[in-house]
Amino acid sequence: MRLQLFLSAVLLAASISGPTFAAAANDVRLSSGQTVYVSVYSNLPIGPRARPVSLETVLTIRNTDMKRGLTISSIDYYDTDGKVLRRHLASPLALGPLATKYIHVKEGESAGGPGSNFIVRWRAAKPMNPPIVESVMLSARGGQGISFVIPGQVISEE
């Protein structure tokens, strides 16, 4: 009897949360522009002795819209203290449907420090699917490798 009550409760919960989840999954939010913050790690302390392992970074900006292009107005790289280290675009860059732009930060480049980040600004003429903006950190030394992805965080909508 307890098992039947438990299974009934599970089925009821699934039926209640199922449509809500499906609606959330289909809830596409369109945007005409955003400012996106992306964390970057130039190195990480690893192991019992906390030895720093240098990482290289690839920042990617992926236009997920199949019909509309967007314009990247800036890609700025900041250090741990919030100072601009590098502005990666001299002028706005058009990114066509399903196209990708990437920026590479070499392994061993430590000027940014442990709290470095990118600020990416993009715009579109009409509301569209927002791009995926993320950083991939990786290193492969001594037969071992480490890699991880950090998604960008929208800090303002245009």
Side-chain angles (χ1 to χ4, degrees):
M1 185 63 160
R2 284 185 180 183
L3 180 60
Q4 283 180 328
L5 287 173
F6 173 75
L7 291 175
S8 295
V10 169
L11 290 174
L12 178 62
S15 68
I16 292 171
S17 65
T20 304
F21 175 77
N26 293 327
D27 185 24
V28 176
R29 293 218 164 105
L30 303 180
S31 179
S32 294
Q34 298 173 326
T35 299
V36 183
Y37 174 96
V38 189
S39 297
V40 175
Y41 295 90
S42 59
N43 62 61
L44 285 175
I46 295 179
R49 294 184 184 159
R51 291 187 181 170
V53 172
S54 291
L55 303 169
E56 65 182 290
T57 298
V58 177
L59 172 80
T60 61
I61 304 161
R62 299 173 180 272
N63 184 352
T64 63
D65 200 288
M66 296 177 70
K67 297 178 182 174
R68 290 190 167 87
L70 60 90
T71 300
I72 303 170
S73 54
S74 64
I75 304 172
D76 297 335
Y77 184 49
Y78 290 80
D79 69 9
T80 299
D81 296 324
K83 295 178 184 167
V84 177
L85 290 177
R86 215 169 300 126
R87 297 191 189 279
H88 286 276
L89 293 182
S91 60
L93 173 72
L95 196 62
L98 302 178
T100 299
K101 169 68 177 167
Y102 74 92
I103 301 292
H104 181 241
V105 178
K106 294 180 182 178
E107 184 175 353
E109 184 177 315
S110 60
S116 56
N117 61 80
F118 281 98
I119 297 291
V120 176
R121 291 180 178 89
W122 69 272
R123 309 268 183 277
K126 294 182 179 181
M128 61 179 286
N129 292 326
I132 295 172
V133 182
E134 60 191 1
S135 61
V136 180
M137 268 66 59
L138 55 120
S139 178
R141 295 276 175 178
Q144 294 183 344
I146 181 174
S147 64
F148 55 97
V149 177
I150 297 180
Q153 172 69 44
V154 175
I155 57 176
S156 71
E157 285 282 338
E158 305 304 323

